[in-house]
Amino acid sequence: MIDVAAMPNLTPVLAEIMLTAGAMLLLMFGVFTGERSTPTVTGMAVALLAGAVLVVALGEGTSVTFGGAFISDAFSRFMKIATLVASAVAIAMAVGYARNERFERFEYPVLIVLATTGMMMMISANDLISLYLGLEMQSLAAYVVAAIHRDSVRSTESGLKYFVLGSLASGMLLYGASLVYGFTGHTNFEAIAQALVDGRSVGLVIGLVFVLAGLAFKISAVPFHMWTPDVYEGAPTPVTAFFAAAPKLAAVALMVRVTIEAFGPVTADWQQVVSFVAIASMLLGSFAAIGQTNIKRLMAYSSIGNVGYILVGLAAGTQAGVQGVVLYLVIYVVMTLGAFACILAMRRRDQMVEDIESLSGLARTQPFTAFMFAAILFSLAGIPPLAGFFAKYWVFLAAIEAHLYGLAVIGVLSSVVGAYYYLRIVKLMYFDEPLVTFERMPAELKTVSALSGAFLLVFVLFAAPLVEAAAVAARSLF
């Protein structure tokens, strides 16, 4: 007989259960019906993610289950909704690409759903064991997705690089977690924090550094960024768009929870590590992108730079800093998905074009695409009054309030440098003569770019509800 009273409360994990069961059913449906099922599986996967958004949104309060290893609170719900939406948009953006490149794979949306399930586990992880389980579930699906274009050498190479370096990072994180457990005797975040109040040791600090190093790899922060440009360039463009959006949300959310909840009593120790990583990421992202000629590699370095700005807010270690991180993540994901919608529209003679120079004169041949791409690039550069400006403003303000003046100054200066390569693309689109003519932008990409551009342009008019939701999310961690 099963003791019902001893069963864990499954209500907080209802969305994760729904996604897992749905992914298995979609996989079986695809296996038995073949590749022709790809459109159906894609539509059902998007619907499944939309249903999960509804389930998460209906949650309220703070609840834990599985012996405290899984937590559902305002922070996790906010980040889960953003992650689910980003994953759904990434799946929808791949429809036209898969059709044009003749690489329709019903496994792609299924793997995205499974990866998203892992991300949701990461966001709600309240224990080192559940942290690792969620991280590996997301990573294993991501390794396969990176190499899903089996006929492409570049895609296979990027998947292999991602797998090898990802395995190394997972080993570092697992070693750090074992040190933390060895010196505190606990894996639960609250218990670790309580143990740290009573004192810390050198071994524990070393464990903390290894845990942060493993998480830094997942968010592609310097000096663990080496995989990012190659994987972004080699993976199919919709996969790159997915990597740049949803996994970043989940990994940063996990890093915030680990540092604030588990290692809150030793903020001074991890603050130095996060500040160094933030400075290195901002500077490398700004300067390394200047000489890039491939648009996907440029977006890879842009992603690295943006991670640096996000970590500026985390380095503050305050509620205002976490609120800035949450807001920056949402705006960053909107900018990234919009940018990749425009990049996916760079097709000529049934082939993808990735050379930045090919964007010359785009305003004359496709004015709508050029306008939306320009709005997104201006926002990435932090030009007021677009949303990207406010994203940087909030994290820099949090750093200043935490007396991290040097970090804020370096962030502003690197943002100025980074603006150069964004504005250069705008100059190419509006002031240079056309070199090539791209094919007509598919409806799904036009929709994503239009919504993204509109969000960034009029963000200042409806920012208050989002700011308040981010404040509630941040408050739940303190």
Side-chain angles (χ1 to χ4, degrees), residues 369-387:
T369 305
F371 177 78
M372 288 302 169
F373 201 14
I376 293 165
L377 291 169
F378 276 126
S379 185
L380 282 166
I383 305 297
L386 300 179

Side-chain angles (χ1 to χ4, degrees), residues 30 76 137 280 477:
S76 67
M137 185 175 183
L477 294 180

Side-chain angles (χ1 to χ4, degrees), residues 120 125 157 166 190 192 212 257 319 376 405 427 469 477:
M120 295 175 71
E157 179 186 352
E190 293 179 6
I192 291 172
L212 291 180
R257 191 179 290 280
Q319 183 177 317
I376 293 165
Y405 304 115
K427 176 258 182 187
L477 294 180

Side-chain angles (χ1 to χ4, degrees), residues 78-257:
F78 187 99
M79 299 307 296
K80 282 180 182 180
I81 290 173
T83 302
L84 288 164
V85 172
S87 297
V89 173
I91 292 176
M93 287 169 59
V95 173
Y97 179 91
R99 183 176 56 249
N100 293 326
E101 295 293 318
R102 296 179 178 84
F103 101 109
E104 291 186 319
R105 304 276 192 274
F106 72 84
E107 298 96 333
Y108 175 72
V110 176
L111 286 166
I112 296 294
V113 172
L114 288 173
T116 306
T117 308
M119 292 177 221
M120 295 175 71
M121 185 70 183
M122 291 164 58
I123 293 170
S124 285
N126 197 42
D127 188 283
L128 292 175
I129 297 174
S130 57
L131 174 156
Y132 187 71
L133 287 174
L135 198 63
E136 287 307 295
M137 185 175 183
Q138 179 263 323
S139 298
L140 289 173
Y143 299 149
V144 180
V145 168
I148 197 167
H149 202 335
R150 296 187 292 267
D151 299 329
S152 170
V153 175
R154 291 171 61 194
S155 178
T156 306
E157 179 186 352
S158 67
L160 186 60
K161 286 180 179 177
Y162 192 22
F163 171 70
V164 172
L165 294 174
S167 300
L168 174 63
S170 295
M172 294 172 63
L173 189 144
L174 196 57
Y175 178 62
S178 66
L179 284 175
V180 172
Y181 171 69
F183 283 95
T184 63
H186 301 283
T187 58
N188 183 270
F189 290 171
E190 293 179 6
I192 291 172
Q194 185 58 47
L196 290 174
V197 171
D198 300 330
R200 60 179 177 82
S201 62
V202 175
L204 183 60
V205 174
I206 295 174
L208 167 62
V209 171
F210 271 98
V211 169
L212 291 180
L215 295 175
F217 173 90
K218 300 301 178 182
I219 63 175
S220 64
V222 177
F224 307 99
H225 67 287
M226 67 290 292
W227 61 274
T228 313
D230 293 336
V231 172
Y232 274 40
E233 182 182 10
T237 307
V239 175
T240 305
F242 171 69
F243 283 168
K248 281 277 199 303
L249 276 168
V252 172
L254 176 60
M255 195 169 190
V256 169
R257 191 179 290 280

Side-chain angles (χ1 to χ4, degrees), residues 59-63 72-74 76-77:
E60 57 183 19
T62 300
S63 56
S72 175
D73 55 12
S76 67
R77 287 191 292 273

